[in-house]
Amino acid sequence: MNSNIATSPYTISLKGRDLVTWLDYTVEEVHELLSLASYLKKNPHSKILEGKTLGMIFEKSSTRTRVSFEAGMLQMGGHAIYLNSRDIQLGRGESIEDTARVLSSYVDGIMIRTFETEKVTQLAEYASIPVINGLCDTYHPCQALADVLTILERKGTLKGVKAVYIGDGNNVAHSFMILCAMLGMEVVVSCPEGYEPGKEIIESTMNLAKKSGGSFELTHDPNEAVKGADVVYTDVWASMGQEEEAIQRIEDFKGYQVNEGLLAQAAPDVTFLHCLPAHREEEVTAAVIDGPHSAVFQQAENRLHVQKAILQSVLV
Ligand code: CP
Ligand code: NVA
């Protein structure tokens, strides 16, 4: 056993596992990952991934995901290779299957940010090494783990915490509601008609909430939703790939902006979260995101710690 693991009180082995969605993980595994992330936050440097290489395929832009994965690999003694799909043969039509097989013989793990979830699952199917979803159109699992770590740090607990997501029922909302429900939280999603989370995701979330003793509610009324909220979360109204809908969406999401008026209806010690990047004065006002309740930079920092926990657990 590697000496760095031996000194860590957390010894989960998820060796060889892919991370496409938290639906494939148990609540115990998630708790272990959160504990390991907290440990790594206090003990950032190790050599546990010495000699290990992570390939990072990006078909969409990124600041946080790219830099935190790369820095995380370096902090653990490993190395990361940035692969923009515009530069690799995947972008010119080489198949996912062939890409998966070839990369498996060079690197120890793959992180992919893409559009279709099927691309991530296909890559995972054909690669013989772990594949981590760094965001697709349906999920953003690494973000959600950082979100719940931030909530745990701020509130001291997860069970029974009321987390309200306001805005588009998108990838960030999906992973957030799944993970929060799994961990026994009271999850409320408030979005305009036509922008609800996917039906299957809602179904899975409700089942998870039933099992964990948490709850899930969907409402079109954001004022009703935020009453007594411990956490208020929002994300952009137009995600990557939806740029052409941006103007229509500004119209459709009127009334769903997280501003001081809305936040005033939440619990007095409410925590505001946003995965970033944000559009100030669209989905959130500057007064809120730069205000006293905001934890967005703590949340962004936590991406580094949770991803290191994931990498360490699946690579060794
Ligand atoms: N929140 C997040 O994933 O940010 P990036 O798009 O900058 O990676
Ligand atoms: N929902 C956003 C998240 C960006 C981190 C998007 O997919 O663009």
Side-chain angles (χ1 to χ4, degrees):
M1 184 184 276
N2 184 300
S3 61
N4 289 294
I5 283 245
T7 55
S8 158
Y10 308 102
T11 55
I12 46 166
S13 178
L14 301 172
K15 192 173 163 81
R17 291 272 295 273
D18 302 308
L19 173 56
V20 179
T21 162
W22 292 117
L23 293 173
D24 301 332
Y25 279 69
T26 65
V27 65
E28 291 76 22
E29 287 166 345
V30 171
H31 276 299
E32 286 274 304
L33 283 169
L34 285 170
S35 299
L36 180 56
S38 296
Y39 174 83
L40 293 172
K41 192 167 180 173
K42 293 182 203 102
N43 303 274
H45 296 283
S46 77
K47 289 277 172 279
I48 192 153
L49 296 186
E50 195 162 27
K52 302 275 184 199
T53 304
L54 179 74
M56 308 191 299
I57 302 174
F58 281 90
E59 297 198 314
K60 290 174 174 172
S61 304
S62 171
T63 297
R64 280 144 289 269
T65 305
R66 177 184 174 178
V67 179
S68 55
F69 265 105
E70 188 162 339
M73 283 300 292
L74 285 173
Q75 288 180 14
M76 294 190 288
H79 181 73
I81 305 175
Y82 174 68
L83 304 164
N84 192 302
S85 62
R86 280 192 304 271
D87 304 327
I88 58 173
Q89 300 289 9
L90 186 65
R92 293 183 57 246
E94 184 167 15
S95 71
I96 279 278
E97 290 93 320
D98 288 355
T99 305
R101 288 197 182 106
V102 170
L103 288 183
S104 296
S105 66
Y106 299 148
V107 299
D108 302 283
I110 304 170
M111 197 267 349
I112 179 165
R113 167 167 287 199
T114 187
F115 294 85
E116 309 85 356
T117 310
E118 293 68 40
K119 256 193 190 170
V120 187
T121 50
Q122 257 193 321
L123 192 68
E125 188 186 337
Y126 289 100
S128 59
I129 53 176
V131 169
I132 299 168
N133 185 353
L135 180 148
C136 62
D137 288 344
T138 312
Y139 300 114
H140 198 357
C142 300
Q143 181 64 56
L145 196 63
D147 301 338
V148 296
L149 177 62
T150 311
I151 295 170
L152 187 58
E153 288 173 342
R154 289 265 164 159
K155 305 293 170 194
T157 183
L158 292 172
K159 254 197 175 353
V161 168
K162 179 176 177 180
V164 180
Y165 177 95
I166 297 185
D168 188 22
N170 62 16
N171 44 10
V172 167
H174 285 165
S175 289
F176 184 67
M177 55 199 260
I178 287 168
L179 203 56
C180 289
M182 204 168 161
L183 295 165
M185 294 171 62
E186 290 175 29
V187 190
V188 182
V189 171
S190 184
C191 52
E193 268 177 59
Y195 293 99
E196 295 87 357
K199 279 198 175 69
E200 284 176 18
I201 306 283
I202 292 178
E203 214 168 284
S204 303
T205 303
M206 288 183 122
N207 287 335
L208 287 167
K210 214 184 259 174
K211 247 170 90 180
S212 69
S215 62
F216 175 74
E217 197 190 319
L218 179 68
T219 166
H220 295 300
D221 182 350
N223 294 293
E224 190 54 40
V226 294
K227 289 215 168 78
D230 301 304
V231 175
V232 171
Y233 196 142
T234 194
D235 183 18
V236 292
W237 292 337
S239 285
M240 290 181 277
Q242 298 171 334
E243 288 78 8
E244 281 174 13
E245 297 171 30
I247 291 172
Q248 181 60 47
R249 282 171 174 257
I250 289 175
E251 193 58 36
D252 295 345
F253 281 84
K254 268 198 184 127
Y256 290 84
Q257 182 189 67
V258 179
N259 51 38
E260 284 174 303
L262 193 67
L263 211 62
Q265 300 173 63
D269 63 344
V270 64
T271 295
F272 172 75
L273 299 178
H274 191 307
C275 59
L276 304 177
H279 292 159
R280 282 171 173 75
E281 308 310 329
E282 277 188 29
E283 75 274 6
V284 59
T285 58
V288 166
I289 197 168
D290 301 322
H293 296 288
S294 178
V296 299
F297 297 111
Q298 180 181 342
Q299 183 187 3
E301 183 197 316
N302 281 337
R303 289 292 302 280
L304 172 70
H305 310 302
V306 301
Q307 285 157 199
K308 284 172 69 180
I310 295 166
L311 287 166
Q312 171 169 329
S313 305
V314 302
L315 294 183
V316 291

